[in-house]
Amino acid sequence: MSGRASRAAYYGLLTAAALLMGWVEQVVAIPLPVPGIKLGLANIIAVLLLYRDGVKTAAAVNFVRIVLGGLLFGGISSLLYSLAGGILATAGMALLYKSRFFGVTGVSVTGAVLHNIGQLAVACAVVGTAAPLYYLPYLTAAAVICGAACGILAAILIKRLPSVDNRQRR
Amino acid sequence: MKNVIKKADIIIIVLLLAAALAAALFLLPTGGGYAAVYSDGRLIGRYALDTDRVIEIDAHNTVTVENGKVYMSYSDCPEGLCRNQGAISAGSLICLPNRLVVVIEDAGGDIDAVAGRV
């Protein structure tokens, strides 16, 4: 398995794809009365990696994606929100994935909901009141819908996308 | 592919949606006649919603009370999420970059359980 280089390229490609998805969502964000609702397309990559390459790889790529995305498109403060959301989401998804009780959809939905909770927790700390929690129910409802959609897309990718090692054998 | 949606997924989805609905119905935004403005977690002032006025908080934010509702009329934050929230008569307006929160409260200043000041 001389896969080191091809793996680096593969993970780099997926990181770039996730970054691009995050950027597009930021640019074409629709103004809504409840801030922070988005599709969370980048989570497709996180779920894909979780199932394909395991917890460590998924966490590493997610971390790199969040830090790069924060530095490139957001800023230090937005990085803090994403990081809190990302860490909570990745940990939760890893637990559900390992438990084997849940399918891809449930894992993705949980990740989406936890991401919001992490971000809201930081928001509460930043503004010094619990007022941001007002948004939690709306964000949770949106996260369930978007998370389910992304989960189904991720499931398709998990099934169809050739793995690095497969390509090597060809 | 039975790995896509399992029974546990349906259960967790239904539970989450039910929790969200319950929270939205029972905990959330209570109205009230006053807009309380918090900067950095400190109460700056409480303004009755029945009197139209423009409140210049500082150089960064201006809040306007109009027709019984309140909205963020000016903010220098980059994304403007607080302005996108529009005019509200319940719930809250939040400008994260400027650490400004506007919460609708009732006369006693008792905001509901969820929005309690930390």
Side-chain angles (χ1 to χ4, degrees), chain A residues 67-165:
Chain A
V67 171
L68 285 179
L71 295 177
L72 287 170
F73 317 124
I76 298 298
S77 63
S78 77
L79 178 59
L80 209 62
Y81 299 104
S82 318
L83 215 49
I87 289 169
L88 207 57
T90 307
M93 291 198 298
L95 275 177
L96 259 61
Y97 165 71
K98 287 278 183 191
S99 82
R100 304 201 171 275
F101 287 117
F102 298 90
V104 184
T105 312
V107 169
S108 172
V109 163
T110 306
V113 171
L114 286 175
H115 191 92
N116 285 337
I117 291 174
Q119 289 194 309
L120 279 183
V122 174
C124 286
V126 165
V127 297
T129 83
L133 291 183
Y134 269 133
Y135 302 122
L136 188 55
Y138 307 107
L139 288 175
T140 299
V144 169
I145 295 163
C146 298
C150 288
I152 290 165
L153 285 172
I156 294 169
L157 277 181
I158 292 165
K159 201 176 157 196
R160 301 258 171 99
L161 207 68
S163 76
V164 195
D165 298 330

Side-chain angles (χ1 to χ4, degrees), chain B residues 15-35:
Chain B
L15 282 180
L16 284 169
L17 285 178
L21 187 69
L25 287 179
F26 298 114
L27 293 176
L28 287 175
T30 49
Y34 294 85

Side-chain angles (χ1 to χ4, degrees), chain A residues 31-33 35 51 81 100-106 109-110 113 123 126-128 130-135 137-138 140-141 144 155 159, chain B residues 1 3-6 8-9 12-13 16-17 20 23-24 28-29 40-41 84-85 91-92 94 96 99 101 103 112 114-116 118:
Chain A
L32 290 169
Y51 277 81
Y81 299 104
R100 304 201 171 275
F101 287 117
F102 298 90
V104 184
T105 312
V109 163
T110 306
V113 171
V126 165
V127 297
L133 291 183
Y134 269 133
Y135 302 122
Y138 307 107
T140 299
V144 169
K159 201 176 157 196
Chain B
M1 191 172 159
N3 208 20
V4 178
I5 302 181
K6 292 187 183 176
D9 296 358
I12 205 166
I13 285 172
L16 284 169
L17 285 178
L28 287 175
D40 250 333
N84 289 340
Q85 286 179 254
S92 62
I94 297 174
L96 278 179
R99 300 176 176 205
V101 178
V103 189
D112 65 65
V114 167
V118 174

